[in-house]
C-alpha cells in the first residue's frame, strides 16, 4: 500500500479490519508530500518510484492508496509490475452513485485529482444523469500531516468552511472525500456539511473491493494469525509515528523505518 504520506493509513485501517490475516507493507512518501499540487510528470515519476520500492517485497498486490496517483498516473502504473493493482477512485464513485437521492454529488480532492475529472468520469460512466460538483481543497493535506484534525479547531473549521460552502450551496446530498487524507478530517467536514450529507470514504470502499477481488482470485492468505504491518517513510519517522499511532490506536514506533526511494 502506498500514498504520499499518512493518508493511505485510512485504507490500511480498513484493510486490517476486512483482511486481518494479511501482511501489509506501507510506504508513505512523507519526504515529498503533497503530491496533489505537482505536475502530472512528477506524480508519475514519484508513483513509479513508490511502486518500485514495494516491488522489492514479496507482495501479491499493490493498493495505490492515493487518489492523486490514481487520477493522473494509474495507466502508467499498470503493467509496471505483473501483479494486481487496486485504485481508490472507482469504488467510492460507485457507492456515491448508488447513495445519492437528489442526484447531486460533491467531490473534494487535491488540485491534481479535481483537475483530472477522474471522479466526474467515473460517476457519469455509471449514471450520466447525476450532477457532480467538484472542489479542490489543497490545504487539507497539510492540516492532516500536521495533526490539525479536531472538529473544534478554529483553523481547520475556517478552512473547511471556505472550501465547502459552495458545495453546501449546490445542495449536494453525498460528498466523496476523494483524497485518502480526508477521512482524518471527517469530523470537521461533517460539522461544516451537516448531518444530512452522506460522506463517502475512499479507504473504506476500496478495502471492501480489495477483499472481494482477492477472495475471488483465491489470493487470500490462509493463515490464522494476525497479519504483520510494516511501515516505511521517506522522511524522519518521529512525526509519522506519533500521528499514525494515534490514528491506528496502536504504538507503531518500532515498526516504522526511514528509507530512500529516489
Ligand atoms: N492522499 C493523497 C490523495 O489521496 C495525496 C495527497 C497529496 O499528497 O497531495 O490524493
Amino acid at each position: 500500500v502506498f500514498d504520499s504520506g499518512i493518508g493511505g493509513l485510512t485504507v490500511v485501517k480498513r484493510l486490517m479490519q476486512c483482511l486481518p490475516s494479511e501482511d501489509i507493507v506501507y510506504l508513505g512518501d512523507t519526504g515529498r508530500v503533497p503530491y496533489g499540487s505537482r505536475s502530472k510528470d512528477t506524480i508519475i515519476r514519484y508513483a513509479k518510484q513508490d511502486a518500485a520500492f514495494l516491488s522489492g517485497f514479496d507482495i501479491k498486490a499493490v493498493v495505490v492508496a492515493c487518489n492523486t496517483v490514481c487520477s493522473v498516473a494509474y495507466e502508467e502504473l499498470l503493467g509496471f509490475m505483473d501483479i494486481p493493482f487496486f485504485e481508490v477512485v472507482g469504488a467510492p464513485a460507485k457507492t456515491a452513485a448508488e447513495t445519492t437521492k437528489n442526484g447531486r454529488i460533491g467531490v473534494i480532492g487535491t488540485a491534481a485529482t479535481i483537475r483530472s475529472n477522474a471522479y466526474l468520469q467515473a460517476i457519469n460512466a455509471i449514471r450520466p444523469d447525476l450532477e457532480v460538483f467538484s472542489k479542490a481543497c489543497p490545504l487539507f493535506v497539510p492540516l492532516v500531516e500536521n495533526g490539525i484534525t479536531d472538529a473544534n479547531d478554529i483553523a481547520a473549521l475556517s478552512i473547511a468552511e471556505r472550501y465547502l460552502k459552495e458545495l453546501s450551496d449546490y445542495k449536494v446530498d453525498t460528498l466523496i472525500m476523494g483524497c485518502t487524507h480526508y477521512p482524518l478530517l471527517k469530523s470537521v467536514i461533517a460539522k461544516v456539511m451537516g448531518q444530512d450529507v452522506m460522506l463517502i470514504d475512499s479507504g473504506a470502499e476500496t478495502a471492501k473491493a480489495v477483499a472481494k477481488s482477492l477472495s475471488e482470485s483465491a489470493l487470500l492468505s490462509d493463515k490464522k494469525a494476525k497479519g504483520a504491518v510494516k511501515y516505511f517513510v521517506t522522511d524522519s519517522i518521529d512525526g509519522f509515528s506519533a500521528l499514525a499511532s494515534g490514528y491506528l490506536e496502536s504504538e507503531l514506533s518500532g515498526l516504522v523505518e526511514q528509507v530512500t526511494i529516489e
Side-chain angles (χ1 to χ4, degrees):
V1 181
F2 76 85
D3 178 41
S4 61
I6 196 171
L9 294 183
T10 60
V11 183
V12 169
K13 190 171 189 171
R14 301 296 189 150
L15 282 171
M16 290 193 297
Q17 289 162 358
C18 292
L19 300 169
S21 307
E22 300 295 335
D23 295 337
I24 297 175
V25 185
Y26 183 77
L27 172 66
D29 191 8
T30 51
R32 302 190 293 195
V33 66
Y35 282 11
S37 50
R38 300 185 194 276
S39 69
K40 180 171 175 153
D41 286 350
T42 301
I43 295 167
I44 292 171
R45 181 160 51 88
Y46 288 178
K48 285 186 172 172
Q49 288 170 343
D50 296 337
F53 172 78
L54 291 179
S55 72
F57 297 84
D58 181 22
I59 52 172
K60 61 189 173 191
V62 176
V63 180
V64 183
C66 176
N67 286 267
T68 304
V69 170
C70 294
S71 299
V72 308
Y74 195 63
E75 294 290 307
E76 286 77 2
L77 276 182
L78 293 175
F80 190 66
M81 283 160 70
D82 193 19
I83 54 173
F85 273 75
F86 293 96
E87 52 83 31
V88 287
V89 172
K94 180 167 180 286
T95 303
E98 290 165 357
T99 302
T100 183
K101 299 235 171 356
N102 71 0
R104 301 166 82 81
I105 297 173
V107 179
I108 51 175
T110 66
T113 298
I114 298 305
R115 209 184 312 122
S116 76
N117 281 327
Y119 274 101
L120 174 70
Q121 287 160 8
I123 292 166
N124 281 159
I126 301 165
R127 275 190 58 187
D129 58 310
L130 297 177
E131 286 189 276
V132 179
F133 303 91
S134 303
K135 181 76 183 170
C137 306
L139 291 175
F140 277 0
V141 167
L143 283 178
V144 170
E145 290 287 331
N146 287 284
I148 302 172
T149 55
D150 192 285
N152 294 316
D153 187 279
I154 294 170
L157 272 174
S158 89
I159 290 169
E161 275 160 10
R162 188 178 168 142
Y163 285 144
L164 302 177
K165 181 169 185 313
E166 69 184 63
L167 297 178
S168 284
D169 291 347
Y170 285 129
K171 307 225 175 320
V172 301
D173 70 350
T174 305
L175 178 65
I176 298 176
M177 295 185 285
C179 170
T180 51
H181 279 72
Y182 297 178
L184 284 120
L185 280 170
K186 187 172 182 180
S187 56
V188 177
I189 295 167
K191 197 165 178 175
V192 173
M193 294 304 292
Q195 57 185 13
D196 294 338
V197 175
M198 176 67 84
L199 301 183
I200 311 276
D201 171 340
S202 60
E205 301 308 321
T206 302
K208 283 187 246 164
V210 172
K212 184 165 177 281
S213 170
L214 289 182
S215 164
E216 284 168 359
S217 319
L219 280 173
L220 285 180
S221 162
D222 53 12
K223 78 174 180 208
K224 297 277 171 286
K226 199 163 166 253
V229 189
K230 176 86 187 142
Y231 303 87
F232 294 92
V233 290
T234 55
D235 200 356
S236 77
I237 63 172
D238 297 344
F240 179 89
S241 294
L243 286 176
S245 300
Y247 177 65
L248 295 175
E249 295 166 35
S250 146
E251 183 49 53
L252 301 186
S253 44
L255 302 172
V256 186
E257 198 178 307
Q258 183 173 349
V259 288
T260 303
I261 62 169
E262 285 167 67

